[in-house]
Amino acid sequence: MVHLTVDIGGRPGANCRGFCAYCYFKHAKDVPPFGCRYCLPFLKGCDYCSRGVKEEYAGFLPLRSVAESFLADLQTVMDDVTRITISGGGDPSCYPDFRDLIELLGKLDVPLHIGYTSGKGFDDPAIADFLIANHLTEVSFTVFAADPELRKKWMHDPTPEVSLEVIRRLSKEIEAYAAIVILPGINDGRVLFETLLWLSGIGVKGVILMRFANYPEQGLILDNAPILSGQRVHTVEEFADLMRECAASFPNLRISGTPLYDPLFDSPFALRNMPDHLDHLPRVDKKATIVTGAVASSYIRAVISARGGDASMVIAVEKEIASLITIDDLRSLHLPDLCDVVIIPGYAFVHDGEAEKVLSRDGVYRMVVRGPEVLAADGETSMGMTEGDVLTLEMDGFFALIQLINQYGCPP
Ligand code: SF4
């Protein structure tokens, strides 16, 4: 199985026919590098945490350089390529040479996948047939609402009817997933019901609902909050309930939400309710502080205590999403509550050296250990997985976490 990615570059908003009203990259400031798992030990800031996280490309890459890098990648591959994914910071549907790129890739006769598109760049419904003819087999397509007026207003889509017609045609022939960012009072309630009804009618494979974020603690780390001044945001629990309601109302539609909840697998952290699986994890026999986000904390506590660990080892910061923890979140921790070994989320946006300084600033040295990359699949990830995949991912994550506690932790 060889998957290749075609990176077309581009910047969110700038290369999307303007920002959608709710875009997380709106108002993004040029914040200094955060530090991350990829940084060198002596240098805070690498390409990923200073540029990649902001999707900071100068603009779309010219077709020629996209094609050249793709061909260079292709030459390094020994086996047959089984899938090609088009991705970038900008929206593929707005890529100026989109048709040429698709035609070029289509000649390879390999299944194509568009990782994400808003469809705002599609002005002719026939593009759907062209994509299908060129082996597009999977697409994630932002919908917002089935009502073209709402789509026009909130996504700034100049041709909303065409975009909706494109996903309708695609859904008939290929695996099309719809993505919807939910703005309470705008596209939830009746609007959401009608949108799901429409999506279920056209035959989409699944619908990914995303909770809108408007404040730093909800994950806006680019100094860009609020995205929409005065806009209400669902609490995580409200949003999870909404997922349950939607899934119950549309049993023929695969629905899952991020950050919570995937009703099909009771995930993320489906493991917490599976004693047979939990029994296969190692026992926790040492003590270390596990720093995590507000959403994951209670679930991680449940698993750690099921394996004999002390639930108070798990400490939540205010930031809801663990992978978006920054050094400010670590600064907010009450140091006397921490053990001498602190495990931070694998993807936390902090530099290890700086984290150690911040967490030892009371004169007590605390070793910082980076935890596993993932402990659970959020709704966006689990959408394309089986229950077995989800549980394997969680088991692997917790196995690695408990091993770290037992390897680096202090006696209880
Ligand atoms: S299409 Fe996506 S990346 Fe572009 S502005 Fe809209 S939400 Fe942002």
Side-chain angles (χ1 to χ4, degrees), residues 11-29 54-55 89 94 116 118 120 151-157 222 224 227-228:
R11 292 167 60 189
N15 297 119
C16 305
R17 286 190 156 175
F19 277 105
C20 300
Y22 53 79
C23 180
Y24 301 141
F25 292 98
K26 214 169 79 172
H27 314 314
K29 309 280 187 318
K54 295 180 234 169
E55 310 248 6
C94 303
Y116 159 83
S118 70
K120 280 157 72 171
R151 191 178 154 90
K152 186 173 202 160
K153 178 171 176 192
W154 292 92
M155 290 181 69
H156 304 144
D157 182 351
L222 301 176
N224 56 338
I227 301 291
L228 283 171

Side-chain angles (χ1 to χ4, degrees), residues 20-24 26 144-145 150-151 153-156 180-192 209-214 218 227-234 238-239 242-243:
C20 300
Y22 53 79
C23 180
Y24 301 141
K26 214 169 79 172
F144 191 75
L150 284 175
R151 191 178 154 90
K153 178 171 176 192
W154 292 92
M155 290 181 69
H156 304 144
I180 307 176
V181 175
I182 299 289
L183 298 180
I186 310 291
N187 65 341
D188 60 347
R190 173 124 214 98
V191 175
L192 180 58
L209 300 170
M210 295 161 169
R211 186 181 69 136
F212 173 61
N214 213 18
Q218 291 158 351
I227 301 291
L228 283 171
S229 187
Q231 172 62 47
R232 190 170 87 73
V233 177
H234 283 119
E238 276 175 337
F239 196 73
L242 182 63
M243 295 311 99

Side-chain angles (χ1 to χ4, degrees), residues 63-85:
L63 180 62
R64 191 189 169 94
S65 62
V66 172
E68 279 172 1
S69 356
F70 175 71
L71 288 175
D73 288 348
L74 199 59
Q75 276 163 8
T76 63
V77 169
M78 310 301 277
D79 293 327
D80 286 347
V81 178
T82 46
R83 169 163 146 154
I84 299 170
T85 299

